[in-house]
Amino acid sequence: MTTTTDDLPFGLGVSLYSYTDDIGVTMTVEDCIADVADLGATGLEILGEGHIEDYPNPSTAWIDAWYARNERLGLTPTLYGSWIDTRRFPGRGMTAAEGAAQLELDLRLAARLGFSFVRPKIGVISEDLRVDPIWQEAVERNLQLAADLDIVVCPEIHWPTIIKSSVVEEYLEFKERTGSDHFGLLIDTGVFELSPYPRRGGSASFRMGDGSARPPVVPFVPVSDLADVMEHTVYFQAKFYEVDDELVDHYIPWREIIDVVVDSGYTGWLSSEYEGHHEPYRAPDQLRRQHALIRTIAAERAAADSAAVTALADRN
């Protein structure tokens, strides 16, 4: 699927999660969607439970307004974030059948809203985010539905999970066993974090902690590991924390990431997910900085590639 933005080889989008500390404080969901278009992005990622009015049964009027707004703003629905909350029921775990039913509900709603990807956030059982064993049956029961709806189910590889881990191996073994083109990996670029980011603030009353909690040891993940899974990667959440006034990101190595993405021939989405300081007004500015940074790196890469081709032609 080719989803290029302007002259970029990939599509640039934004997750509404980026605006968590603005929604309901300084902006409505509709304001945030308008801001995504204003900053020049073309892809729109949402959280089903968080951003759909009257989830899971939005009104026809809400759905009509959703499509009309996206058409007017030139936005394409990209990824729909969902949950399979395995701790939902007090005193017992969720069964595979219950997990499958929840995923089916969200797949059908995502399809009604025009999404191409669904990320099921599934309950974990370990510090490195090993997923509850019900996940395989819950997802496999829905693979034919996903194919019928033309949606790719993509679990998220999220810090502190590393790419070379049993978690990723389990996903890849599942993909090989099922042979499904409607299952793939979502890479959250936070896995390449160079150093912990000291978050501050938090306007949401439900926020617990300050984001500083860390497992005892998390190995450094080289961006070169990404090349090994690019053929299975269908989506990127372009996680970041801060881009400074000089358009430098000291926490996420964007130049190396963009190199791997371009070298692989990936033409899908990079969907920005701001997760820096928990303060209103900050996300819109930071998103613009990140997109300027990514566009600059991509342009420099394209210029270098063009120069190399010209030099080779001249030698021949």
Side-chain angles (χ1 to χ4, degrees):
M1 180 186 297
T2 300
T3 51
T4 55
T5 298
D6 300 331
D7 55 351
L8 296 174
F10 44 77
L12 272 183
V14 173
S15 167
L16 289 191
Y17 180 76
S18 302
Y19 298 91
T20 294
D21 287 282
D22 291 283
I23 292 177
V25 180
T26 65
M27 305 170 78
T28 64
V29 169
E30 292 74 21
D31 291 335
C32 295
I33 293 173
D35 192 63
V36 170
D38 184 69
L39 65 86
T42 56
L44 179 62
E45 174 186 334
I46 72 168
L47 303 177
E49 293 184 14
H51 302 134
I52 297 175
E53 185 177 287
D54 297 323
Y55 169 92
N57 299 301
S59 66
T60 299
W62 190 92
I63 293 175
D64 289 345
W66 164 264
Y67 275 102
R69 185 187 308 109
N70 287 340
E71 182 176 1
R72 174 170 55 84
L73 296 175
L75 294 174
T76 298
T78 57
L79 181 136
Y80 172 113
S82 69
W83 283 265
I84 299 178
D85 184 0
T86 55
R87 295 180 176 84
R88 177 178 177 181
F89 304 109
R92 69 174 181 87
M94 177 178 278
T95 67
E98 289 167 338
Q102 180 63 57
L103 181 55
E104 178 183 351
L105 181 154
D106 285 301
L107 281 168
R108 293 189 184 280
L109 181 51
R112 290 180 66 194
L113 299 178
F115 286 92
S116 299
F117 302 91
V118 165
R119 180 232 61 192
K121 198 76 166 181
I122 309 167
V124 299
I125 59 174
S126 66
E127 285 187 336
D128 63 350
L129 307 188
R130 286 188 59 204
V131 184
D132 190 293
I134 72 162
W135 82 266
Q136 294 208 37
E137 183 178 345
V139 172
E140 190 163 2
R141 287 188 181 198
N142 281 285
L143 286 180
Q144 184 57 54
L145 176 62
D148 294 342
L149 299 175
D150 198 18
I151 288 177
V152 179
V153 177
C154 46
E156 181 178 3
I157 311 307
H158 187 287
W159 192 98
T161 301
I162 61 176
I163 290 178
K164 292 184 176 180
S165 67
S166 60
V167 176
V168 175
E169 288 174 2
E170 189 174 349
Y171 287 143
L172 297 182
E173 288 169 0
F174 176 84
K175 180 174 176 60
E176 182 177 1
R177 178 176 64 79
T178 61
S180 177
D181 293 330
H182 293 272
F183 181 86
L185 300 181
L186 183 164
I187 301 295
D188 182 305
T189 55
V191 300
F192 305 113
E193 182 178 312
L194 299 173
S195 61
Y197 182 75
R199 295 182 188 85
R200 66 170 183 261
S203 62
S205 61
F206 58 81
R207 192 183 302 283
M208 298 181 68
D210 60 4
S212 62
R214 291 290 190 269
V217 177
V218 179
F220 169 75
V221 180
V223 177
S224 57
D225 284 359
L226 177 59
D228 295 336
V229 295
M230 279 303 300
E231 66 177 301
H232 307 292
T233 299
V234 297
Y235 195 89
F236 279 91
Q237 283 185 332
K239 169 76 64 59
F240 76 111
Y241 308 99
E242 182 173 9
V243 176
D244 69 19
D245 292 344
E246 304 301 320
L247 295 186
V248 176
D249 188 329
H250 297 282
Y251 300 92
I252 306 295
W254 289 111
R255 195 168 298 277
E256 293 90 335
I257 292 170
I258 296 302
D259 277 344
V260 173
V261 168
V262 173
D263 287 343
S264 74
Y266 178 83
T267 58
W269 294 99
L270 270 67
S271 181
S272 297
E273 185 181 52
Y274 170 68
E275 203 169 315
H277 293 319
H278 301 309
E279 300 168 347
Y281 302 107
R282 188 172 174 83
D285 173 62
Q286 282 291 313
L287 288 166
R288 283 163 174 77
R289 294 184 185 206
Q290 190 210 31
H291 279 218
L293 171 60
I294 290 175
R295 288 176 185 278
T296 297
I297 293 172
E300 291 173 355
R301 167 62 193 257
D305 288 348
S306 178
V309 170
T310 299
L312 181 61
D314 289 345
R315 287 199 298 270
N316 294 333

